[in-house]
Every structure is written in C-alpha cells, then in structure tokens.
Amino acid sequence: MKTDSGKFRLIAKTFHGLEEVLAQELENLGAEEIRILKRAVSFVGDKALMYKTNLHLRTATRVIKPIYKFTAADTDELYKGIQEIDWSEYLSLKDTISIDSTISSEDFKHSKFVTYRVKDAIVDQFYEKTGDRPSVRVVNPTLRVNVHIDKNTCTVSLDSSGESLHKRGYRVAETAAPLNEVMAAGMILMSEWDKKSNFIDPMCGSGTLLIEAALIAYNIPAGLYRKEFGFQKWADFDQDLWDDIYNEETEIDFDGKIIGCDISDKAMEIAEENIRNAGLRRKIKLTVMPFQQFIPPAEKGILITNPPYGERLKVKDLEGLYSMIGERLKHQFSGYDAWILSYGKECFDSIGLRPSRKVTLFNGSLECKFQKYTMFSGSKKDNYKSRKESER
C-alpha cells in the first residue's frame, strides 16, 4: 500500500491513553500524515523511517505495515482475498510464518478459525505453484502476518517489529507484576518532565521507571538492547541502511539525578541487575530505604511512582500507605511535580491532596488513574494563588 512518492502507510500500536504521546514521538521522528486511532497511530514514511520507529519509539508496542485491503463476508471470501496477494514477494519455502488475527465483526466471531483460514490460503498458494509449503512457527518466525477484520473490511499487514517492542532487551529479572516498559515510558513522556531536573521513584520495584527515565534523559534509543526486529528477516531488508540508523550517535548529556529507592532488598537486587544490564549503573542511584525516610535532593525535580494497589496488602495497610505518600509529598517535596499511578478511588482519597491533572491508563487489564500533584513552595496564600493559576 505505497504512495506515489514511494513512501507507505504504517501503523504503530500502543496502549489506551498513550495515543497522543505516541503521535508526538512520530512527529519528532519525521513521520507524515499522522492520524490518531484507537490504541494506535497511523502515519506515512519510507523504509528508513520504519527502521527508525522500531528502534526509537518508546510508547509503541508494534509497528505494522499494511499491504492489502479487501472486503469479505465469510471465511471463503477471506480465503480468496488472502490468495490475491502474491506471497512469494514476502516468503520463500524455507521461511516460516505466524498469523495474528484481530476481529471486530459479526460475520467473523472466532479469531482462531480466521487464523487457520489465512494460514491455509498462504500455504496452499505455495503448494499449488511448487508442490511444497512453508512451515508455520509461532515462536520466532521469519514473517509475522497481522490480519485485522473490522465488520467486512480485512486489512492484511506485515509485523515489522517481531516481538512486542516493550521487550526492550534489558530486563533480566522482575518483581511481581512489574510495570510494562511502554507504559512506564508513556507515563514519563506524558508528565512533560523537562529532562534536565531530578527524577525520583521512591517505590521503584524492579526499576522500570528509572531505566526508562534514563533512556529518555540521555536520548538512548528504546530498542538499542534488542537482539533483532522482524524487518531484519524480510526479503527486502537493507543491511547497510539499518547499520547507518543503528550506529547513529544520539546520546546526550544529562546533569540531573535519577534516584530510586524501595523498602525491599530483593527488589533492589532485581533493579540493580536490570540497570547494570542496560549499561546505566553510573547513571542511576539506588538505595534500600522506605519512602518514609527518603529525603529528596535540594534541587527540584519530578517524582513518578507506581505504588502497590492492594493485591498483597490489607485495606488498612493500603490506606496507611497512601496517607503516608500524601504526607511525604506535602512535607518533603515542596517545588516538585508528583505523579502517582494507582487503582481504586480510595487509594487517591487517602493521599489527601488535590490533583491538578487526571489521566486514565490501563495497567494490564486494570483501569487505573495517573494523577499529578503540584507541590508548590512558599506560603499557603501563595500556594492557593499558584494552584488556581495552574487549574485555569
């Protein structure tokens, strides 16, 4: 699905609530004709941009390339439509494929059956021409094919990313229910952190927010640690172009501090291991310490954290935890912006502070709130005046 200029449309997928942040990332990379969709952003670019988006995007889970669109009312018409594509342009008999189907249609209710029919259409085309078939492989295939059916419109795309882009490649260990890397990066970019001042996560767990903050602050590509991307197995892969993009020097200086602490020794060990694997040991400071004892640097900055939601704490403990968070913000973080991701109104009520901004995000299947607290310095009168101005 190319344009007259040789460029083509691509779609970057993301999580609910991160679409506008992703669109801004794409604009910064030089994408054209950007359109915000539901949990995705479409854009136009060339092969170089496709490579760049996979390497640099922090809030995308996948970048797919639509190659064909048709209408179908049943699986027989779906089969015929898939066979209208010349699959020899993308596959050889020695290659392997996997099919991913997303369905939003009354006529196609079972994504697994759609997947089987698409697979049959592709391998049957090869068998009719050569008497042999390419193999299907779910793990690490040569080509990942994405089929999206909306009512009767079928869009066939190639997945240029391979594994989800949240799998950065630096995580070697994790705590229970770790924050997704794409979500963490989205939270940081949404906060409009200036990337000059201090960044603090006082309940850092396995260190995901700290690592993503460091990658952003030093302008290190999000995909730098990955072993491979899907497009590297494509028939038209340009190794020289990819080498130029991958080896481009992008790192910048950062004079602020990135600081994390956690009450758990085990969490600190895991965070240290992930940070070391990302090559960021000298860029992030870690301390085993409860939030109640943490004193932030005199220089102002931003605090972003993802406290426990209650799965492993009693309700009484949970209320006490969030009450403590509110007290620490009020008494120790004057001049800071603080952002909290959590689940459940009672958690935020226990903080006891009025948020200046609320955003709905999904942490896995949980509908959470990401709330900003602007901790003004100065007298109560000055705080009231500043708060009113910030709410305008």
Side-chain angles (χ1 to χ4, degrees), residues 52 115 151 220 277 337:
K52 284 182 181 178
T115 297
K151 296 179 181 177
I220 299 170
N277 196 50
D337 283 337

Side-chain angles (χ1 to χ4, degrees), residues 41-84:
V41 179
S42 76
F43 61 100
V44 168
D46 56 11
K47 186 185 289 187
L49 185 63
M50 183 178 71
Y51 292 179
K52 284 182 181 178
T53 53
N54 275 284
L55 180 64
H56 289 279
L57 286 177
R58 305 183 191 280
T59 57
T61 55
R62 295 186 182 280
V63 178
I64 62 174
K65 179 184 178 182
I67 59 170
Y68 193 58
K69 184 180 288 189
F70 61 95
T71 59
D74 54 40
T75 54
D76 289 337
E77 290 185 5
L78 173 68
Y79 182 95
K80 291 177 183 177
I82 295 297
Q83 286 220 320
E84 289 171 2

Side-chain angles (χ1 to χ4, degrees), residues 308-338:
Y309 301 163
E311 295 91 341
R312 298 181 304 279
L313 288 175
K314 296 178 182 178
V315 174
K316 184 178 179 181
D317 295 328
L318 196 64
E319 290 175 355
L321 171 65
Y322 280 83
S323 176
M324 178 274 294
I325 291 172
E327 287 298 313
R328 297 303 291 174
L329 294 181
K330 188 189 304 181
H331 296 297
Q332 295 293 337
F333 286 84
S334 176
Y336 272 73
D337 283 337

